Amino acid sequence: MNTLTKIKPAVLNPARLFSLLLSLLITTSIRSVAFAETGKLMAGTARINITPKTTEPLHDSVYARSLILDVKGKRLAFVSVDLAIFTSDRIEKICKEKYKLEKVIISSSHTHSEPQTNGKMAFQGNPFVAFYEDQIIKAIGMAADHMFEARIAAWQSTFPQLGFNRLIVRENGHAKESWVGDAHYKPENPERIPFGPVDPELGVIKIEDLQGNPRAIIMNYAMHADIVCFNYAISADYPGVASRKVEEAFGNKINCLFIQGAGGNIESLQISPRRSGPNDTVKTNYAPMERTGELLAWEVIKLAKSINPPTGNETDIKFMTDSMRFTGRYDKKLTYNLNLVTILLNNKIAIAVCPGELFVQFQLDWKKKMELASATGFLFGYSWSGGHWPGYIADVRSAALGGYGADESGRLIEVGAGEAIMTRQLENYYKLTGLMRKDPPK
């Protein structure tokens, strides 16, 4: 179940209309290849505990894990955080200046059990935000201070699905979220029916040093991190378990970054009973969380060990930034400025970096299109690189069928925004490959 209140987009008012419109016109015109370089790959990675001092019960700590990729001094930084939603202009500004980064990408695992104060998470304005920022800046700095010559490769594998599509079509033709029962359907899917669509595929990106030692792993999987939602204790949920198990399997000599996919409408088949409050006598069952994390980690470890980076001493990185502007679905006064990143590694690994909670259909479609292009496609969802946070982004069919995140909020982004985002990502991919012409051929 997900009852998070999403970050509010900007609301225009007459006093600021002219200047904002001007800035929006400028923002929406920004589309540039930030760099395209071929050369020796340098990488750096670090892990840091970001659990703040709090009176809230602690089940397991939350972390930030960083990875920097550098070719000829052009640097990208990825940070995975065990938080629900996290954005920070301050991190972007400081790290760009201090560590000469082209872009900082902050990916939230979307755990619903991050540290809270009075029920508020970081994106809702709790007092831990500055502490998180300081710790994340440290993690990026630690990675920058310990760079090594590296190779990179990626692959994907399918295994029995861990999740199901939580927006279930009912007898009236509309969908309703899985935690709502009716005369036919039991709440929380106790029969573990594998409703669809889902993406049962796991993606792994592996970074190793020139001696063949794995140093960092990115695991990309699309499923909500709310197995122990309403546990009223701090936990990184199943992504924290999976990351820890992968790191242990490699002798704790690597960092494993969990990057959520398009899991906006995907719920875990294994789930813990929800508590009504911190004083509820019902105790949270962490076994489903542990087991789900273990199953995911097992697949990550197996896949990572089978991946062999190329033996050459050069890596090709192409990188493009973009921005798009949308309004609200119901409230046309709402404005969403979204930043996108498209990355192409060795002309084979294609990464679409997108903010918000995209529905899984976008990930399935993106990967099919990359397969047609003979590339391995990754969709990095819940990933902020500047701009606003859009909340849920449903595909058109899901927006029509309805349910939580699809049509139930007055602050949803306009219908068709997700399709437009992924079309732009595809266009930018082909620009990075050089196939998309700027002018008509002679």
Side-chain angles (χ1 to χ4, degrees):
M1 180 174 179
N2 185 340
T3 59
L4 297 181
T5 303
K6 301 304 170 194
I7 288 179
K8 295 180 180 180
V11 181
L12 298 180
N13 61 66
R16 300 175 59 208
L17 183 59
F18 179 78
S19 60
L20 279 176
L21 282 176
L22 180 61
S23 66
L24 288 172
L25 286 171
I26 294 171
T27 301
T28 53
S29 68
I30 297 174
R31 185 194 297 184
S32 63
V33 176
F35 66 79
E37 297 286 355
T38 300
K40 180 171 67 176
L41 174 66
M42 302 296 294
T45 182
R47 177 176 69 246
I48 194 167
N49 194 316
I50 60 170
T51 310
K53 293 181 179 179
T54 174
T55 57
E56 188 179 13
L58 173 67
H59 180 269
D60 57 283
S61 295
V62 290
Y63 286 83
R65 294 170 170 89
S66 63
L67 172 66
I68 295 176
L69 299 179
D70 177 313
V71 173
K72 293 184 176 178
K74 301 292 187 179
R75 292 183 165 187
L76 289 177
F78 302 87
V79 184
S80 69
V81 292
D82 295 326
L83 299 172
I85 297 167
F86 196 75
T87 67
S88 173
D89 291 317
R90 177 174 170 242
I91 291 174
E92 171 98 347
K93 182 177 185 298
I94 290 175
C95 291
K96 275 187 171 183
E97 294 175 356
K98 191 170 184 180
Y99 303 115
K100 311 303 180 186
L101 300 171
E102 303 292 326
K103 179 59 66 177
V104 178
I105 297 165
I106 302 175
S107 299
S108 302
S109 72
H110 202 51
T111 175
H112 288 42
S113 302
E114 70 164 74
Q116 300 178 43
T117 298
N118 297 323
K120 288 187 175 183
M121 299 185 185
F123 75 91
Q124 296 165 324
N126 74 19
F128 306 136
V129 171
F131 171 75
Y132 293 147
E133 289 177 329
D134 291 342
Q135 292 296 91
I136 292 168
I137 291 168
K138 284 181 185 178
I140 293 173
M142 290 161 61
D145 289 341
H146 297 89
M147 302 290 286
F148 57 91
E149 197 166 346
R151 298 190 181 103
I152 190 168
W155 201 241
Q156 296 163 335
S157 67
T158 299
F159 67 103
Q161 68 189 71
L162 297 176
F164 68 99
N165 195 303
R166 68 188 193 181
L167 295 181
I168 301 159
V169 180
R170 310 303 170 98
E171 291 186 6
N172 65 359
H174 278 110
K176 201 67 181 173
E177 49 272 21
S178 58
W179 53 91
V180 175
D182 56 31
H184 171 67
Y185 175 81
K186 295 180 180 179
E188 300 289 7
N189 193 17
E191 296 92 354
R192 303 295 182 257
I193 300 169
F195 295 101
V198 301
D199 186 356
E201 200 166 57
L202 160 75
V204 167
I205 300 175
K206 178 182 177 182
I207 296 91
E208 65 178 35
D209 60 29
L210 297 190
Q211 290 72 47
N213 302 306
R215 300 289 292 273
I217 288 173
I218 290 176
M219 64 168 142
N220 184 212
Y221 193 71
M223 188 174 76
H224 249 72
D226 63 348
I227 294 177
V228 294
C229 183
F230 297 120
N231 59 325
Y232 297 95
I234 298 168
S235 174
D237 212 287
Y238 82 86
V241 176
S243 293
R244 184 178 72 249
K245 293 289 184 182
V246 173
E247 290 164 351
E248 290 172 352
F250 288 93
N252 287 314
K253 295 180 180 178
I254 71 163
N255 292 315
C256 182
L257 289 74
F258 175 89
I259 297 187
Q260 185 69 256
N265 55 338
I266 305 301
E267 192 81 8
S268 173
L269 283 165
Q270 299 192 65
I271 201 165
S272 176
R274 306 319 197 191
R275 302 176 71 201
S276 61
N279 298 319
D280 193 333
T281 56
V282 173
K283 300 300 181 184
T284 297
N285 180 11
Y286 288 93
M289 178 190 86
E290 291 287 336
R291 184 58 179 151
T292 300
E294 288 173 355
L295 289 168
L296 181 58
W298 177 268
E299 298 296 331
V300 173
I301 294 161
K302 182 171 64 174
L303 182 55
K305 288 181 176 179
S306 72
I307 296 174
N308 296 308
T311 56
N313 59 1
E314 288 195 337
T315 296
D316 183 90
I317 296 184
K318 298 182 178 72
F319 159 72
M320 176 177 280
T321 61
D322 206 341
S323 63
M324 302 182 76
R325 178 176 177 263
F326 300 98
T327 62
R329 172 175 178 173
Y330 302 113
D331 185 352
K332 299 305 178 183
K333 294 179 181 178
L334 299 180
T335 300
Y336 299 82
N337 260 355
L338 306 190
N339 283 15
L340 311 176
V341 180
T342 314
I343 303 167
L344 185 59
L345 303 172
N346 288 334
N347 296 308
K348 288 292 183 182
I349 305 169
I351 303 173
V353 180
C354 303
E357 301 189 53
L358 278 83
F359 278 27
V360 75
Q361 194 61 50
F362 296 120
Q363 179 164 312
L364 294 168
D365 291 346
W366 168 255
K367 289 162 72 173
K368 284 182 180 179
K369 288 181 171 64
M370 290 301 98
E371 186 178 351
L372 287 173
S374 299
T376 304
F378 292 81
L379 195 151
F380 285 8
Y382 296 78
S383 296
W384 180 89
S385 58
H388 295 142
W389 187 265
Y392 282 100
I393 305 178
D395 58 278
V396 172
R397 179 176 183 272
S398 295
L401 292 177
Y404 189 82
D407 74 346
E408 291 187 356
S409 169
R411 307 194 70 83
L412 291 170
I413 199 167
E414 65 183 88
V415 175
E419 283 78 3
I421 289 167
M422 298 315 299
T423 297
R424 182 65 63 83
Q425 286 280 12
L426 185 62
E427 179 186 353
N428 289 346
Y429 163 78
Y430 279 111
K431 287 188 173 183
L432 291 177
T433 65
L435 288 173
M436 187 70 74
R437 294 187 176 105
K438 296 180 180 179
D439 301 297
K442 297 180 180 179

